[in-house]
Amino acid sequence: MHVPQPEVAADDTNPKGFGEPQWVVDFHDRLLRRCSVQVSDARPQAWFEAGKLSTNEQVREELGKWLEGQFREGGDELVVKDPRLAWFIGLWRSAALRCGATPSYVTMLRPVTEVVGSKQKYYTQRFGELNRTAAWVNMMLHTERATRDSDRAFVRYHDMLSDWTVPVHALGEKLDLKSVKTATANDIRQVHNFIDPSLRRVQLTWDDVDVPKRLRDVAEESWQALNRLADEGGDKPDTHKVLDELRAEYTLLYEEAEAITQSSAAAARRDAAGGGNGGGGAAGGDPGLGTADRIARKVPHGVRAAIPPKARRGARKALNKARGR
């Protein structure tokens, strides 16, 4: 199948390449900045913000024109891969219909602990394990809902590595992909040479990921329900009902967490506005804070979040003791 060119360049995190069209990645990054949504965003509200932008006629026209050009260049079957695309499924559906094309969606299923571990290892430490786990739940459950009632398929990451021919053949039959059905022996050899099971370099379990029990339970139950979608006949109403309940449960969990942390959010807004010093006390610090707490405030939150809680508490106690606190 045709992958729009040029592609995102390979790097150490993915030495065989990403298979992601550079134009698509840049397009999605621009849209995400406009609606203030992260690539992996844990907020249920983020779907509403991205959805509003997807109704913008200028944005729809821009994507439609680009997609028409890709069909002229690449033929009747295109594959567009980018994790950011999940935020704009409605936008892509509209663009495909404008081109007279049928959109189909393929979602890769990989255990949440492996996804979190991989991002912790290869991406910025701005977010910690807890936030990445929450973002996985939010992304996967809402993506499932957004593609429901469309031509779609779910593929287990481990199945692709153990014997890719089985899930890919099933995709070709289910989605009626001519490129798969008419693949030559040379095509098959090229895929054999491309897929490298040794690149599965992160294999964590829940014993390796420190998150609260309630979030862990929602994430694990979501993984089990999503995993059933990859079974023959598994994409059915009973499973959808479970996923709907889990999505509602996660939304409630997130709203409760937001309510609990309103004071932190208000303090962050005051600091951003330059009012963090209030009135009184020594310049540059809150007189009610210990030395370690004042130092910690100067460290970016993402850096603090990457340090295990026990280590943070130990460092704070040691520093305050040394200062005679």
Side-chain angles (χ1 to χ4, degrees), residues 112-113 133 136-137 206 215-226 246:
V112 53
T113 51
T133 301
W136 181 92
V137 174
W206 283 118
L215 176 59
R216 171 177 170 169
D217 290 345
V218 172
E220 178 60 24
E221 290 176 26
S222 297
W223 162 247
Q224 295 298 335
L226 289 164
L246 287 165

Side-chain angles (χ1 to χ4, degrees), residues 26-45:
D26 293 342
F27 176 71
H28 287 153
D29 278 340
R30 174 159 49 88
L31 296 185
L32 289 172
R33 286 193 297 271
R34 284 179 60 178
C35 61
S36 297
V37 172
Q38 300 287 332
V39 176
S40 295
D41 205 308
R43 299 172 299 150
Q45 176 69 15

Side-chain angles (χ1 to χ4, degrees), residues 23-24 27-28 31 54-71 78 80 85 88-105:
W23 186 92
V24 172
F27 176 71
H28 287 153
L31 296 185
S54 294
T55 63
N56 184 291
E57 183 58 29
Q58 184 177 354
V59 173
R60 288 186 172 207
E61 184 176 356
E62 180 183 3
L63 179 58
K65 287 183 178 179
W66 178 85
L67 194 57
E68 285 178 352
Q70 296 307 313
F71 277 116
L78 307 179
V80 179
L85 191 150
F88 306 105
I89 288 172
L91 177 63
W92 280 89
R93 184 182 290 115
S94 173
L97 293 176
R98 287 189 180 201
C99 298
T102 301
S104 301
Y105 308 94

Side-chain angles (χ1 to χ4, degrees), residues 230-262:
D231 294 331
E232 186 174 353
D235 196 350
K236 57 185 181 180
D238 288 350
T239 306
H240 300 164
K241 181 181 178 181
V242 173
L243 290 164
D244 288 340
E245 292 170 350
L246 287 165
R247 196 172 63 256
E249 184 176 352
Y250 172 74
T251 300
L252 177 61
L253 171 61
Y254 193 89
E255 290 173 348
E256 291 175 351
E258 277 190 315
I260 291 171
T261 59
Q262 281 181 347

Side-chain angles (χ1 to χ4, degrees), residues 16 24 60 82 95 98 124 132-133 142 148-149 174 191-192 199 204 216-217 220 226 240 248 250 253-254 296 299 317:
K16 291 206 171 187
V24 172
R60 288 186 172 207
D82 180 17
R98 287 189 180 201
T124 175
R132 293 192 192 279
T133 301
H142 282 83
R148 203 180 294 175
D149 302 322
K174 183 172 185 178
V191 180
H192 271 308
L199 292 178
L204 302 185
R216 171 177 170 169
D217 290 345
E220 178 60 24
L226 289 164
H240 300 164
Y250 172 74
L253 171 61
Y254 193 89
V299 178
K317 289 180 180 179

Side-chain angles (χ1 to χ4, degrees), residues 111-157:
V112 53
T113 51
E114 292 190 10
V115 175
V116 170
S118 179
K119 289 187 176 183
Q120 287 291 96
K121 182 175 181 179
Y122 294 110
Y123 294 93
T124 175
Q125 291 300 308
R126 181 180 178 185
F127 300 104
E129 293 175 337
L130 195 157
N131 182 268
R132 293 192 192 279
T133 301
W136 181 92
V137 174
N138 190 43
M139 289 289 295
M140 294 302 295
L141 291 182
H142 282 83
T143 299
E144 183 280 323
R145 185 63 188 88
T147 58
R148 203 180 294 175
D149 302 322
S150 301
D151 289 342
R152 69 176 186 176
F154 295 84
V155 178
R156 296 184 185 92
Y157 179 74

